[in-house]
Amino acid sequence: MLNARLHPRTIEAVKERADIVDVVGDHVVLKKKGREFVGICPFHDDSKPSMTVSPAKQFYYCFSCGAGGNSIKFLMEFQRQSFSDVVLELARKYQLPVETVDGPQQERLRQQLSRREKLQRATALAAGWFRSQLLGEAGQQARSYLSEQRGLSLATQDTFQLGYAPDQWDGLLKHLQQVEGLSPELLEAAGLVVPRKGGRGFYDRFRHRVMVPIHDRQGRVIGFGGRSLDGAEPKYLNSPETELFEKGKHLFGLDKAAGAIRKDDRAVVVEGYFDVIALHAAGITNAVAALGTALSNQQITQLSRVSDSKRIVLNFDADGAGVRAANRAIGEVEQLAMQGQLELRVLHLPSGKDPDEFLKAHGSGDYRALLDQAPLWLDWQIEQVLAERDLSRSDQFQQAVSELVALLGKLPQSAVRTHYLQRVAERLSGGQARLALQLEEDLRQQVKGQRWHGRSSRHEQPAEASQRERCEADVLRLYLHCPRHRSTIRQQLRQRDLEDFALQPHRLLWASITELEESNLGIGRLEAISRGDDAGEELADLDLPTLLTDQLLLENSGLISRLTPLLEPGELEKLSLSDPLEQLRGTTALLERQKSLKRCRHLLEAWGGQRLQTLEACIATLIDQPPGDAPVDMEQRIQSLFDELNRDALRYQELYYTERKHINHLDQQRCRGFGDQNVLSA
């Protein structure tokens, strides 16, 4: 942005228009408290809401670190931008005219701001053309699909401006270029056309698809979702990331749902466009959808701004992909939920139906009843752990306990954790009161240790992050380019609990790989391969690098540059693939070793925090006790009392040395895997 001398009229107009709650609420989850709002301060390591935002005074202030000011000051500090850049950003957001002291400079600034307007004009014209195609002769099949298969009325189709992209290579391109005078380069920047290979022209991105326009909060078209009508893959195709359209920042339907969310004080988040449209058509107009990605923190913040109680219900599909999407969304906001900053619930409809199917079979009344009964996120996760597990079998019982301990270990020490410990113990005991008490105490002890599960960054040393990044990249490169060993790699990742990649690009790539394989083999087969119950030879038949490159070019072109070294390895990387199984063993052992090292550091900290009772104190305690009639072994009594008084410290000690033995075992695997490597010390 140019360093312009802004006219005082522009600055005053921005100050007058930029509401402090609106500006701060874009970046911080705010909760109404009386006449003001409170939230977690972003300017220091805040654990409790210490920032107050006053709509009346148009001022924010943090009582812990002293940060404070107006809307412009907040953005300058939060985004580390200059005064001019912040004012220009706010002027563009609120569509205010920009005036500068220098006339020529003002014109250059207007040109910069007008590019966004040109892109918005292109997407708006495209939406109008798609709509006209739906209503014309070419749209007969699309109209039948919407009316007969989807059951959408003409009024609903009009409300959401649904359209049709005809089965032509350049129908939209010709119209916008020849009739509206828009350049192909501008249309490419808007995500509407794709350049041909070799640079000879362009073609339409969307062909023979029902088109769903995506709007921003102000109701402007910023992108599209296209549903295939002939079975072509992908079934749903989104616009790529553009200057207008950032998937993680927008929610489909929020422009139409904001008022209903405020009125109902609750937002319903579903997976697909047509789920939102079906819910709105049924009168449930507080529904929105994420745009082909896991629900992000920014999207949660947008929803929180239009709900005073910050109530959000996730209603994703009940299949494996839907469960994973729900868990990813929970992972984004569970800290806010645990702090009471929002109320997060999860609704899974009976018989695995999505909202559209359920509404057709049961109606809106039954859906609202289930919505009102949706469990809190942690209750839902607990049920997911226990579902379809035979607790009478020792192996399944132990697996359930381990996963439940991992869940409850996230909760801070409080009455809430005690409540869930009691509930889980009752479920595991099968209604046996005495067993429930024993299980509760055992779970409590395990949960104390679960605070060192090895995924927290608190006990991570600086060099470990880059080492983990390299190791994760090595595993993904092996998986992509050594297809005969894919089933072995999946089994190793499952056995070592390494399927949750730490880096976001790696997580997104692994999720895309999994979706491609699930669509070809099925969710059940892929799960059986990961468990080692299926050889999974068909995994080798998939040309993953090509499929993923095509998919990322269409759906997430910004990510492909980050992943090119994995999708297209150089000569040096290819050399590392010469002995894939040895490389795999060494790399996965090193990743598991990192987690064990963090566990050790936590255990040392916990062990050092215990106050050890000495043998002398134990002897003094026994001397003060009245003597019994029966003869006793005093040495045994002293040892028993010592063990009892120092139970936690001794347990941490035992766990620490067990973990050290496991690290030694991993070092042996690592050395057999790929020889000399730098090993980080504990």
Side-chain angles (χ1 to χ4, degrees):
M1 187 66 68
L2 294 172
N3 185 17
R5 291 180 59 204
L6 294 168
H7 197 287
R9 282 195 296 267
T10 296
I11 297 171
E12 288 305 313
V14 166
K15 286 181 178 179
E16 185 177 339
R17 178 67 179 83
D19 180 70
I20 188 70
V21 177
D22 187 43
V23 171
V24 177
D26 270 337
H27 306 282
V28 176
V29 173
L30 296 176
K31 198 166 186 178
K32 195 170 180 61
K33 188 175 182 181
R35 295 182 179 179
E36 298 176 331
F37 292 81
V38 295
I40 302 292
C41 178
F43 302 116
H44 74 284
D45 189 10
D46 200 2
S47 58
K48 295 181 180 179
S50 59
M51 173 181 280
T52 297
V53 178
S54 171
K57 299 177 182 177
Q58 286 296 300
F59 194 83
Y60 74 93
Y61 185 75
C62 176
F63 290 92
S64 292
C65 69
N70 60 12
S71 301
I72 297 174
K73 175 73 177 304
F74 177 85
L75 289 178
M76 287 173 65
E77 295 291 332
F78 186 81
Q79 298 179 169
R80 299 189 180 280
Q81 291 181 308
S82 68
F83 177 83
S84 296
D85 285 347
V86 168
V87 172
L88 287 168
E89 180 182 316
L90 290 172
R92 184 173 59 198
K93 176 179 179 179
Y94 295 112
Q95 297 183 308
L96 299 172
V98 175
E99 297 181 74
T100 63
V101 175
D102 182 3
Q105 193 174 55
Q106 177 181 349
E107 182 57 34
R108 290 195 296 272
L109 283 167
R110 283 179 175 169
Q111 289 175 1
Q112 286 182 333
L113 294 172
S114 71
R115 174 171 170 81
R116 190 177 183 88
E117 295 171 358
K118 290 177 182 177
L119 292 172
Q120 287 169 346
R121 178 170 179 264
T123 52
L125 289 171
W129 188 77
F130 290 140
R131 182 74 180 143
S132 68
Q133 294 300 304
L134 176 69
L135 300 176
E137 183 179 347
Q140 182 176 353
Q141 182 183 352
R143 290 198 302 274
S144 298
Y145 171 80
L146 292 172
S147 301
E148 297 170 15
Q149 291 183 242
R150 288 291 180 178
L152 299 178
S153 68
L154 295 178
T156 298
Q157 295 178 38
D158 189 56
T159 297
F160 283 89
Q161 295 178 273
L162 302 184
Y164 170 63
D167 193 9
Q168 301 171 7
W169 281 101
D170 55 2
L172 176 66
L173 174 64
K174 283 182 176 178
H175 173 77
L176 294 182
Q177 188 175 7
Q178 296 174 7
V179 178
E180 303 295 345
L182 302 183
S183 70
E185 290 75 21
L186 180 70
L187 301 181
E188 181 190 7
L192 297 170
V193 300
V194 179
R196 296 182 183 275
K197 291 182 179 179
R200 294 190 296 273
F202 297 83
Y203 61 92
D204 291 353
R205 180 179 295 275
F206 301 100
R207 300 180 304 281
H208 198 35
R209 291 177 181 271
V210 170
M211 298 301 295
V212 183
I214 301 165
H215 299 82
D216 62 13
R217 279 291 307 279
Q218 287 73 40
R220 297 169 296 201
V221 179
I222 55 174
F224 295 91
R227 205 283 187 189
S228 169
L229 286 173
D230 57 3
E233 293 294 336
K235 183 190 293 186
Y236 288 95
L237 177 64
N238 281 337
S239 291
E241 299 267 331
T242 68
E243 294 174 45
L244 296 180
F245 182 49
E246 295 179 65
K247 296 177 186 178
K249 290 186 177 180
H250 300 280
L251 287 155
F252 175 73
L254 185 57
D255 58 308
K256 300 172 180 64
I261 293 172
R262 283 195 182 92
K263 185 177 179 180
D264 196 43
D265 201 13
R266 175 175 61 184
V268 181
V269 182
V270 295
E271 280 194 80
Y273 307 118
F274 286 104
D275 290 329
V276 172
I277 295 170
L279 285 166
H280 279 245
I284 303 166
T285 54
N286 57 331
V288 297
L291 294 164
T293 60
L295 204 62
S296 70
N297 226 324
Q298 288 175 305
Q299 290 168 327
I300 292 289
T301 301
Q302 286 190 52
L303 291 175
S304 298
R305 288 174 54 201
V306 291
S307 168
D308 288 342
S309 299
K310 318 301 179 194
R311 298 163 66 204
I312 298 171
V313 183
L314 305 176
N315 180 197
F316 294 168
D317 293 350
D319 58 12
V323 170
R324 286 194 298 274
N327 280 316
R328 286 197 298 270
I330 290 170
E332 287 286 336
V333 296
E334 63 184 11
Q335 288 298 321
L336 290 171
M338 284 188 288
Q339 292 168 357
Q341 292 297 292
L342 58 85
E343 179 186 303
L344 185 65
R345 296 179 178 271
V346 182
L347 169 61
H348 267 182
L349 299 171
S351 305
K353 295 182 183 296
D354 60 32
D356 190 13
E357 294 171 326
F358 184 86
L359 288 168
K360 288 174 182 174
H362 300 277
S364 60
D366 288 348
Y367 184 89
R368 289 183 189 276
L370 290 172
L371 197 61
D372 292 337
Q373 299 164 16
L376 288 167
W377 62 277
L378 189 56
D379 296 283
W380 175 81
Q381 288 192 317
I382 289 170
E383 291 304 318
Q384 290 295 307
V385 170
L386 296 174
E388 300 180 5
R389 277 224 166 91
D390 183 358
L391 297 180
S392 64
R393 290 181 50 184
S394 60
D395 59 335
Q396 295 196 29
F397 181 87
Q398 185 55 50
Q399 289 172 3
V401 168
S402 298
E403 292 183 35
L404 290 168
V405 165
L407 279 178
L408 300 181
K410 298 175 182 179
L411 293 172
Q413 181 64 51
S414 65
V416 174
R417 193 204 287 186
T418 300
H419 164 77
Y420 277 106
L421 284 168
Q422 292 171 348
R423 283 195 53 191
V424 168
E426 288 171 5
R427 289 291 305 276
L428 293 173
S429 69
Q432 301 178 49
R434 180 173 294 182
L435 178 59
L437 290 173
Q438 294 173 349
L439 282 169
E440 183 184 341
E441 181 57 28
D442 184 55
L443 286 169
R444 181 172 281 106
Q445 292 302 320
Q446 290 191 60
V447 165
K448 284 184 180 178
Q450 179 57 25
R451 308 300 283 181
W452 50 265
H453 50 66
R455 292 189 175 89
S456 170
S457 60
R458 180 167 170 253
H459 294 281
E460 186 172 73
Q461 293 182 348
E464 288 177 336
S466 57
Q467 188 180 69
R468 184 179 63 245
E469 181 177 2
R470 289 195 302 272
C471 288
E472 287 185 356
D474 288 342
V475 171
L476 290 167
R477 193 178 291 110
L478 286 170
Y479 198 89
L480 291 169
H481 302 288
C482 300
R484 291 191 301 110
H485 301 293
R486 284 173 183 163
S487 59
T488 304
I489 295 172
R490 278 199 171 274
Q491 292 163 24
Q492 281 285 302
L493 294 176
R494 173 63 60 86
Q495 291 169 10
R496 296 179 185 268
D497 191 22
L498 297 173
E499 292 172 301
D500 186 14
F501 287 86
L503 271 76
Q504 186 187 29
H506 294 166
R507 283 200 303 273
L508 294 173
L509 178 60
W510 185 246
S512 297
I513 290 171
T514 300
E515 288 174 10
L516 283 170
E517 292 176 338
E518 283 178 350
S519 64
N520 282 272
L521 275 71
I523 297 173
R525 282 286 311 281
L526 199 61
E527 177 62 23
I529 293 168
S530 297
R531 292 197 308 264
D533 299 336
D534 189 312
E537 295 176 355
E538 295 91 334
L539 287 177
D541 298 335
L542 295 175
D543 183 4
L544 287 178
T546 300
L547 291 171
L548 289 165
T549 300
D550 292 344
Q551 181 174 317
L552 291 171
L553 280 170
L554 288 172
E555 297 183 4
N556 198 342
S557 57
L559 181 62
I560 198 166
S561 60
R562 296 283 305 273
L563 299 176
T564 297
L566 298 179
L567 297 168
E568 301 174 9
E571 293 301 319
L572 187 60
E573 287 82 5
K574 288 179 181 177
L575 287 175
S576 68
L577 305 175
S578 58
D579 196 346
L581 292 181
E582 289 296 315
Q583 177 78 0
L584 174 68
R585 181 164 56 239
T587 302
T588 53
L590 190 53
L591 283 169
E592 190 177 356
R593 188 182 193 277
Q594 279 196 347
K595 290 169 61 178
S596 285
L597 280 174
K598 286 192 281 185
R599 292 188 186 111
C600 281
R601 292 171 196 141
H602 173 89
L603 288 167
L604 279 175
E605 182 182 282
W607 184 9
Q610 298 295 315
R611 184 176 179 181
L612 198 65
Q613 299 295 324
T614 64
L615 286 172
E616 288 81 359
C618 296
I619 294 170
T621 301
L622 290 174
I623 291 173
D624 291 338
Q625 294 178 358
D629 296 331
V632 296
D633 185 337
M634 184 58 68
E635 185 175 342
Q636 183 178 350
R637 285 191 65 189
I638 293 171
Q639 185 62 48
S640 297
L641 183 60
F642 179 84
D643 291 344
E644 181 182 349
L645 293 175
N646 297 296
R647 180 175 56 184
D648 285 346
L650 293 172
R651 179 171 171 273
Y652 287 129
Q653 181 189 57
E654 180 185 0
L655 289 170
Y656 172 77
Y657 285 116
T658 300
E659 205 64 48
R660 293 300 314 184
K661 288 180 182 178
H662 184 56
I663 289 175
N664 290 335
H665 172 66
L666 292 171
D667 283 342
Q668 293 174 9
Q669 292 183 6
R670 180 190 57 78
C671 293
R672 287 199 304 270
F674 46 67
D676 293 334
Q677 284 280 337
N678 291 328
V679 179
L680 298 166
S681 63

